[in-house]
Amino acid sequence: MFGRKESRAILWLGFEKMAALGLSFLATIVVARHLGPANLGILASGLAIVSILSPLASLLIDKALVRRFSREPEQRDYLLFLARHIVVRASILTFLVGLVLIAILSTSSDGTSGLRFLVGLSALLSLLIFPFLVPLRSFCESITNGKILATSNLSGSVGASLFRLVMVAIGAPLPLFAFSGAVGAALSAGVLRAHFGRIGKWFLPDFKAARREKTFLAEGSILAFAALTNLIHRNVDIIMVERLANSTEAGNYAASARLAEITYLIPVILATVYLPLLSRSRDNASSFHNSTLNFFRLNTLFALVITMAGLLCGKPIIDLLYGSQFSMVGTIFLIHIASIWFIFIDHAKGTVLTSNRGNPVVIWCNAIAITVNVGLNFLLIPKYGGIGAASATFVSYSLIGAILPFLFAETRKLARMQIRALISPIQVLGQLRSS
């Protein structure tokens, strides 16, 4: 299933994510206890808005770049130029749109409008780092250089976590906590720049050729909108809890969601390694089928282990770590953790579709799930707060993970494969040993 190169990449990325998870977990607890539910809710709402906008800042061309770098390594310099040309304009435009959106959503009758806007502005600055980060990271993924990619990711995540801990230590104002995203992105980009040097060019004389790359930009646009709908689905709850209930409920929900999202890094690790592998095996139907099935099995195995551990041990540990001021986090977390398999398998399906080309079906599935999620939020949040939002999320993720894929011809085969993976996930271990 894996070659030696891919296995080494998994080990490096696994080490990086475990180290980052540990520090991120610590930073999440410390920051939450320091800020309290209300301020954490304001911070989380601002970060959620920026997270939703982030795909538009790069049009998510990183996935398209990975495929192009893998198949056309001789076009490296041109592809890097093209990516930078696109991302510079997209990130600036998204930043300006974000300013307007945050100004609108920051309005509040409790006197915190200015604070909310400054939090959102600080978080938005991370988008301006994308032109320096996205192209080089995509190139690194395409050559499956797990060591450098892990070092870059670890530098960014550890730097962001340490920055938040320093802000706690000095008692910094709330907007500075949101600046951690820009710090992490800059550190991650700096590591890649230090390793690869002046790779590629920022400017090339053939601008007409860049404009003719419409298919490349269109492919990235489909992926960007697919990611946009996915991030709306993942982040809209925090924004709606903060607007329909209050910032304290949003803080409780955000504390639980942040811990659950730490586990979401696992399918990201697997997808980072598997995307070039799937792209290269696309022309061999048998090889692609086996790789896809084992990819689903690996995601399923991790999801089931995490779900069982979370359901058995999650609530008492979380109640102990957060303290009495976050009394509802443990209950909300149990609902979140029950959604893990649906989230993992949906991410895996998206990676498989990405290995070929952007697929509008992903957008339609996410759009349906968002509609259900938002509708349930309007019904449940006013009465049940964060627990209602978590319940709506569980329903929508189960819909997108287990039901909607059977309704579209493009994903029906993948849906059957994910059921096979759920029935026999442990078979993947034997194939890992044999490889």
Side-chain angles (χ1 to χ4, degrees), residues 221-233:
S221 299
I222 292 175
L223 294 170
F225 282 109
L228 177 64
T229 53
N230 182 52
L231 285 171
I232 291 174
H233 188 199

Side-chain angles (χ1 to χ4, degrees), residues 238-252:
I238 294 177
I239 300 172
M240 293 189 71
V241 170
E242 205 270 339
R243 303 302 294 185
L244 295 178
N246 53 63
S247 56
T248 299
E249 283 285 346
N252 275 282

